[in-house]
């Protein structure tokens, strides 16, 4: 598998959101503000004129299909196997399409260095050279402060929570799972330039740095754990669970100094197509209410945590 994007990605979590997640506990509490209060339009990320792009909800229904962008090589969320798209996000795209009465056409996309770049390339403008937007993009992290900085993107359809966890060999930690402090002494695997990499090399003032082993992906790190190269792996729980082998366990210990260890994922689309956004959110709400989304996670052996909607 190809290496993921850089630190700012968190498989989508980027820019200011990463800084929020990495905020250390010693920082003072932020004042309570109404959503988007204190974010004047001229300070938002886009300064280009709106363009009529994408396809409207009515056009999608008339055409009978919707294009959904998902990240490539991203098990258990989205990947291609024997020429067929597979994964949690792929099945959620199908669920949305079924609720809309259309066919889902899956578009695998590469992650950029930041979520800002991904939204520009796939949601509201298209890449500079040969780019085009999709009707919908999945696995977009939702954070109200981050969303307020975008006036050309609608964030909707929150369908799950991701959270950081640690996988380990039960034989190495027979009494209880490891906490980050032990990685001053025990080797631990992480996806290169991920939030786990950043956190573990920062904890204990860098005392863990020489014990952190970097891999192209979390799944590669899990293979290293199964092969005895490291004693544990830190990363998003779903990706850890996708790589579990015999004798390996996953737990969620306290992560001291990390402002947030879990975050919500949902969908993003161009602000020009709000009726589509409402329809997508209704589809997700229906899937959450009747258990279909929980069932999708169960089919991939991933623990499901409902989103905060």
């Amino acid at each position: 598998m190809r290496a993921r994007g850089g630190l700012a990605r968190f498989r989508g979590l980027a820019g200011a959101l990463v800084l929020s997640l990495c905020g250390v506990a010693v920082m003072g509490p932020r004042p309570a503000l109404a959503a988007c209060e204190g974010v004047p339009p001229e300070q938002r990320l886009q300064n280009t004129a709106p363009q009529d792009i994408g396809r409207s909800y009515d056009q999608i229904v008339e055409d009978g299909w919707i294009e959904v962008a998902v990240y490539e090589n991203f098990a258990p969320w989205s990947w291609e196997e024997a020429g067929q798209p597979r994964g949690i996000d792929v099945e959620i795209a199908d669920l949305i399409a079924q609720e809309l009465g259309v066919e889902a056409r899956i578009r695998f996309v590469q992650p950029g260095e930041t979520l800002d770049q991904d939204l520009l390339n796939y949601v509201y403008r298209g890449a500079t050279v040969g780019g085009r937007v999709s009707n919908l993009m999945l696995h977009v992290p939702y954070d109200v402060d981050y969303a307020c900085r975008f006036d050309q993107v609608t964030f909707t359809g929150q369908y799950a929570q991701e959270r950081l966890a640690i996988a380990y060999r039960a034989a190495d930690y027979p009494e209880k799972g490891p906490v980050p402090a032990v990685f001053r002494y025990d080797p631990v695997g992480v996806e290169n330039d991920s939030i786990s990499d950043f956190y573990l090399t920062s904890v204990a003032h860098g005392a863990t740095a020489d014990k952190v082993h970097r891999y192209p992906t979390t799944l590669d790190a899990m293979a290293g754990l199964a092969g005895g190269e490291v004693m544990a792996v830190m990363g998003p729980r779903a990706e850890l669970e996708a790589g579990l082998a015999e004798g390996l366990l996953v737990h969620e210990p306290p992560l001291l100094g990390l402002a947030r260890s879990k975050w919500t994922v949902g969908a993003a689309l161009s602000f020009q197509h709000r009726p589509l956004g409402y329809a997508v959110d209704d589809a997700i709400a229906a899937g959450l209410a009747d258990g279909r989304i929980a069932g999708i996670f169960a089919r991939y052996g991933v623990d499901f945590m409902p989103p905060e909607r």
Side-chain angles (χ1 to χ4, degrees), residues 122-147:
Y122 309 126
V123 174
Y124 72 86
R125 187 193 300 175
T128 303
V129 179
R132 60 181 174 83
V133 300
S134 293
N135 305 126
L136 188 69
M137 184 173 184
L138 293 185
H139 215 90
V140 175
Y142 179 74
D143 176 84
V144 65
D145 293 333
Y146 184 77

Side-chain angles (χ1 to χ4, degrees), residues 62-130:
E62 181 179 339
D63 293 342
W65 58 273
I66 181 172
E67 183 180 271
V68 183
V70 298
Y71 287 113
E72 66 179 14
N73 298 333
F74 187 33
W77 298 100
S78 47
W79 77 98
E80 195 169 16
E81 184 175 300
Q84 296 297 316
R86 292 200 61 205
I88 294 170
D89 287 339
V90 171
E91 293 203 24
I92 288 176
D94 287 336
L95 181 153
I96 292 169
Q98 289 169 11
E99 289 289 317
L100 271 55
V102 299
E103 169 198 357
R105 296 185 179 179
I106 302 300
R107 176 190 181 188
F108 287 103
V109 299
Q110 297 181 353
E113 289 297 315
T114 67
L115 178 58
D116 302 358
Q117 183 178 347
D118 292 347
L119 294 175
L120 183 152
N121 287 340
Y122 309 126
V123 174
Y124 72 86
R125 187 193 300 175
T128 303
V129 179

Side-chain angles (χ1 to χ4, degrees), residues 2 8 26 51-52 54 57 76 86 91-92 96 104 109-110 121 132 135 140 152 173 180-181 186 215 227 230 233 268:
R2 183 186 59 80
V26 297
Q51 305 173 57
D52 184 12
Y57 178 37
R86 292 200 61 205
E91 293 203 24
I92 288 176
I96 292 169
V109 299
Q110 297 181 353
N121 287 340
R132 60 181 174 83
N135 305 126
V140 175
Q152 293 182 337
Y173 302 97
D186 298 345
Y215 293 84
V230 292
V233 172

Side-chain angles (χ1 to χ4, degrees), residues 224-285:
L225 174 60
E229 297 172 6
V230 292
M231 295 175 65
V233 172
M234 183 176 174
R237 179 164 187 141
E239 294 176 61
L240 299 179
E241 291 177 331
L244 282 179
E246 185 176 356
L248 303 183
L249 300 174
V250 176
H251 79 137
E252 298 178 38
L255 301 175
L256 300 179
L258 193 60
R260 275 188 289 166
S261 60
K262 60 183 180 181
W263 60 100
T264 301
V265 292
L269 66 156
S270 169
F271 85 107
Q272 298 177 75
H273 303 303
R274 288 189 182 277
L276 175 61
Y278 298 140
V280 167
D281 198 58
D282 288 344
I284 292 296

Side-chain angles (χ1 to χ4, degrees), residues 180-185 198-209 256:
V182 307
F183 301 136
R184 290 177 293 177
Y185 316 103
F198 182 85
Y199 174 70
L200 288 179
T201 51
S202 300
V203 73
H205 304 290
T208 61
L256 300 179

